[in-house]
C-alpha cells in the first residue's frame, strides 16, 4: 500500500492565497484628460494693410558705356589711368592707341595738301599773267579743297586715337587691357558705370506678376537685413518669362542712402497697393504642411475653447503680418502663440483672456486687432 504524503498546514495556506490573488483582475485606471494648451489669440477684423513682395536683385548703374579701341594699334595707358573702380570725369583721357597706318595716312595727306596748294598758287599766277586759262585755276582750286578735306579727315582719325571718358562714372576695366598690348579695332577695353540714379535689376515669379506694376514704391536692403539702403520706384516690368519661369523687373533708386556698388546683391522689397479692408493674421498663427496652410480657429466652450484646423489661402505679407484671402470670417478668433502645439479638437486656454468670475466666454487678444507690431 502506497504511503499518503500530507503537506504541513502552514505550507498549504500561502498556496491558496497566491491562487486567489491571481484570479482577481485589477480594474483599468482612468486615462488622464489632456491639459488645455495655453495660447494667445487674435480676433479677425478688417483693416488697412499694405503687403510687400521681396525679390532678389542686383545693383546696376544708371547706364553702362562701353569704351572700345577706335582702330587697330598698340594700347598706351598712363600710369593708374585704367583701374577698376576708379572714378573718372567727363572728358578725362583714358588711353591712346598708336596706329602706324593712321600716322602714315596723316603724313601722306599733308604732302598731298602741300602739293595741291603749290599747284593752286601756280595756276593763280598763270591766270594773272595771261598764259593759263581760267579753267585750270578752277580745277586746281577743287583739287586743293579735296586735299584739305582729306588732311582734316586723317587728322581727326588720328585725334580719335586718344580716348576720353564720354561720361563721368566708375571704371570697370577688362582684365586683358594692359599698356603695350596690340588691339584690333572695336576691341572692348573698359566700361564706365555712369554716374546718376542707380538701378536694381530683379526677377519675379510668374505668380507674382499680376500684383506688380510700374510706379510702385521699393526699398533695398542687404540680403536678409533690416536696414533700408535705398528707396525708389519700379520703372520697368517685362512680362516675358524666361526658361526658368521668371520675368525681369527694374527699379530706379532715387534715394540712395547706402546702396552697395554695382554688381552686389540686394533684397528688393516692392510695396504693393494698400488695401482698406484686408484680413491679416500674425505669421506665427500659420501652420504650414507642405503646400497647405492653415490656422486654428478657437471655438468658445465655457471657460475654454476647442481648436479647429481651418485651411486658408494667403496673400501678401509685410513684417510679421500675412494677409488671408480665403478661409476665415470676420469675428472669428485664431490661435497665435502656441498654435504649433495644437491639433484639431484639442482644448485651448487663451492665457491673454481675462479671468474674472463669470467672464469665461469673453475673449481679448494679446495683440490689438489689425495692428502691425
Amino acid at each position: 500500500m502506497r504511503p499518503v504524503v500530507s503537506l504541513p498546514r502552514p505550507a498549504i495556506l500561502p498556496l491558496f492565497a497566491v491562487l486567489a490573488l491571481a484570479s482577481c483582475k485589477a480594474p483599468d485606471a482612468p486615462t488622464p484628460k489632456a491639459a488645455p494648451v495655453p495660447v494667445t489669440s487674435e480676433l479677425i477684423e478688417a483693416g488697412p494693410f499694405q503687403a510687400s513682395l521681396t525679390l532678389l536683385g542686383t545693383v546696376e548703374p544708371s547706364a553702362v558705356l562701353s569704351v572700345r579701341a577706335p582702330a587697330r594699334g598698340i594700347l598706351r595707358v598712363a600710369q593708374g589711368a585704367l583701374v577698376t573702380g576708379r572714378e573718372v570725369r567727363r572728358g578725362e583721357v583714358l588711353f591712346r592707341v598708336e596706329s602706324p597706318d593712321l600716322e602714315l595716312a596723316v603724313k601722306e595727306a599733308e604732302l598731298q595738301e602741300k602739293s595741291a596748294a603749290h599747284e593752286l598758287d601756280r595756276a593763280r599766277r598763270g591766270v594773272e599773267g595771261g598764259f593759263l586759262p581760267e579753267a585750270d585755276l578752277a580745277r586746281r582750286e577743287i583739287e586743293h579743297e579735296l586735299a584739305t578735306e582729306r588732311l582734316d579727315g586723317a587728322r581727326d582719325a588720328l585725334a580719335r586715337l586718344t580716348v576720353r571718358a564720354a561720361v563721368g562714372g566708375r571704371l570697370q576695366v577688362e582684365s586683358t587691357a594692359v599698356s603695350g598690348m596690340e588691339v584690333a579695332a572695336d576691341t572692348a577695353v573698359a566700361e564706365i558705370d555712369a554716374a546718376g540714379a542707380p538701378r536694381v535689376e530683379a526677377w519675379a515669379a510668374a505668380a507674382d506678376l499680376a500684383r506688380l506694376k510700374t510706379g510702385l514704391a521699393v526699398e533695398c536692403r542687404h540680403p536678409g537685413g533690416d536696414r533700408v539702403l535705398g528707396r525708389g520706384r519700379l520703372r520697368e516690368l517685362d512680362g516675358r518669362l524666361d526658361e526658368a519661369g521668371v520675368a525681369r523687373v527694374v527699379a530706379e533708386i532715387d534715394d540712395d542712402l547706402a546702396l552697395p556698388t554695382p554688381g552686389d546683391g540686394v533684397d528688393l522689397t516692392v510695396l504693393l497697393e494698400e488695401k482698406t479692408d484686408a484680413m491679416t493674421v500674425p505669421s506665427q498663427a500659420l501652420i504650414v504642411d507642405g503646400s497647405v496652410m492653415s490656422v486654428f480657429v478657437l471655438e468658445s466652450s465655457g471657460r475654454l475653447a476647442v481648436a479647429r484646423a481651418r485651411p486658408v489661402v494667403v496673400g501678401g505679407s509685410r513684417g510679421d503680418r500675412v494677409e488671408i484671402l480665403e478661409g476665415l470670417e470676420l469675428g472669428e478668433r485664431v490661435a497665435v502663440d502656441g498654435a504649433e502645439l495644437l491639433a484639431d479638437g484639442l482644448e485651448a486656454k487663451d492665457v491673454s483672456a481675462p479671468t474674472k468670475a463669470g467672464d469665461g466666454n469673453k475673449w481679448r487678444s494679446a495683440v490689438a486687432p489689425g495692428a502691425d507690431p
Side-chain angles (χ1 to χ4, degrees):
M1 186 173 180
R2 187 175 297 177
V4 177
V5 180
S6 59
L7 295 175
R9 185 175 297 274
I12 295 175
L13 291 176
L15 178 61
F16 279 108
V18 172
L19 293 175
L21 290 174
S23 64
C24 296
K25 184 178 180 181
D28 293 335
T31 303
K33 186 178 180 181
V37 178
V39 297
T40 62
S41 70
E42 182 168 311
L43 186 69
I44 299 300
E45 295 185 348
F49 181 68
Q50 185 177 32
S52 63
L53 178 65
T54 298
L55 309 172
L56 182 60
T58 304
V59 179
E60 302 288 347
S62 59
V64 178
L65 178 68
S66 180
V67 183
R68 297 177 174 272
R72 182 177 67 87
I74 306 300
L75 190 66
R76 298 300 182 191
V77 183
Q79 182 69 27
L82 282 184
V83 178
T84 293
R86 187 174 76 86
E87 294 286 345
V88 296
R89 301 181 306 276
R90 185 174 184 271
E92 181 179 342
V93 174
L94 300 178
F95 60 87
R96 288 185 60 254
V97 175
E98 291 182 356
S99 174
D101 293 341
L102 288 180
E103 292 171 359
L104 178 60
V106 169
K107 292 179 180 179
E108 290 177 346
E110 288 174 343
L111 291 174
Q112 291 173 355
E113 189 277 335
K114 185 176 180 180
S115 175
H118 175 73
E119 293 298 327
L120 176 60
D121 184 63
R122 229 168 120 271
R124 187 176 288 118
R125 290 198 304 270
V127 169
E128 291 173 353
F131 54 85
L132 281 179
E134 291 285 343
D136 281 1
L137 177 60
R139 186 176 68 254
R140 296 302 181 184
E141 287 176 342
I142 293 174
E143 291 174 350
H144 180 259
E145 184 177 354
L146 291 174
T148 301
E149 291 179 357
R150 292 191 190 99
L151 177 58
D152 291 341
R155 286 173 173 170
D156 288 343
L158 189 63
R160 285 195 295 271
L161 296 182
T162 300
V163 178
R164 300 175 180 272
V167 295
R170 189 186 301 271
L171 276 176
Q172 300 291 335
V173 182
E174 296 289 339
S175 59
T176 57
V178 294
S179 187
M181 68 176 291
E182 185 174 354
V183 294
D186 205 39
T187 297
V189 176
E191 290 181 343
I192 299 177
D193 295 341
R199 304 178 305 157
V200 172
E201 182 177 286
W203 298 89
D208 295 324
L209 286 179
R211 299 193 289 167
L212 298 177
K213 69 177 185 178
T214 56
L216 291 175
V218 300
E219 296 175 344
C220 294
R221 295 173 175 82
H222 284 303
D226 296 327
R227 180 190 174 198
V228 176
L229 305 177
R231 296 184 178 90
R233 296 283 173 180
L234 200 61
R235 297 303 184 194
E236 298 179 29
L237 180 58
D238 191 345
R240 296 171 298 178
L241 301 178
D242 65 6
E243 296 178 354
V246 294
R248 174 178 171 269
V249 299
V250 177
E252 185 176 287
I253 308 303
D254 304 315
D255 187 7
D256 183 359
L257 303 176
L259 208 62
T261 57
D264 288 347
V266 292
D267 281 347
L268 179 70
T269 300
V270 183
L271 304 182
L272 305 177
E273 290 186 314
E274 185 174 3
K275 293 184 179 181
T276 58
D277 56 352
M279 291 189 296
T280 66
V281 298
S283 58
Q284 60 264 42
L286 285 177
I287 306 299
V288 182
D289 184 7
S291 60
V292 178
M293 293 189 179
S294 60
V295 298
F296 282 104
V297 176
L298 300 180
E299 297 179 352
S300 178
S301 176
R303 295 181 63 84
L304 300 175
V306 177
R308 298 298 182 190
R310 183 80 62 79
V312 293
V313 176
V314 302
S317 64
R318 188 174 184 187
D320 65 349
R321 306 291 300 184
V322 181
E323 183 184 8
I324 303 298
L325 301 179
E326 296 178 15
L328 290 177
E329 299 293 337
L330 295 176
E332 292 186 309
R333 187 168 292 277
V334 297
V336 182
D337 293 319
E340 71 281 2
L341 303 176
L342 292 173
D344 190 62
L346 281 184
E347 282 191 330
K349 180 180 180 181
D350 189 350
V351 297
S352 63
T355 57
K356 294 180 181 179
D359 201 20
N361 292 330
K362 295 183 180 180
W363 299 75
R364 179 170 56 88
S365 172
V367 181
D372 191 358

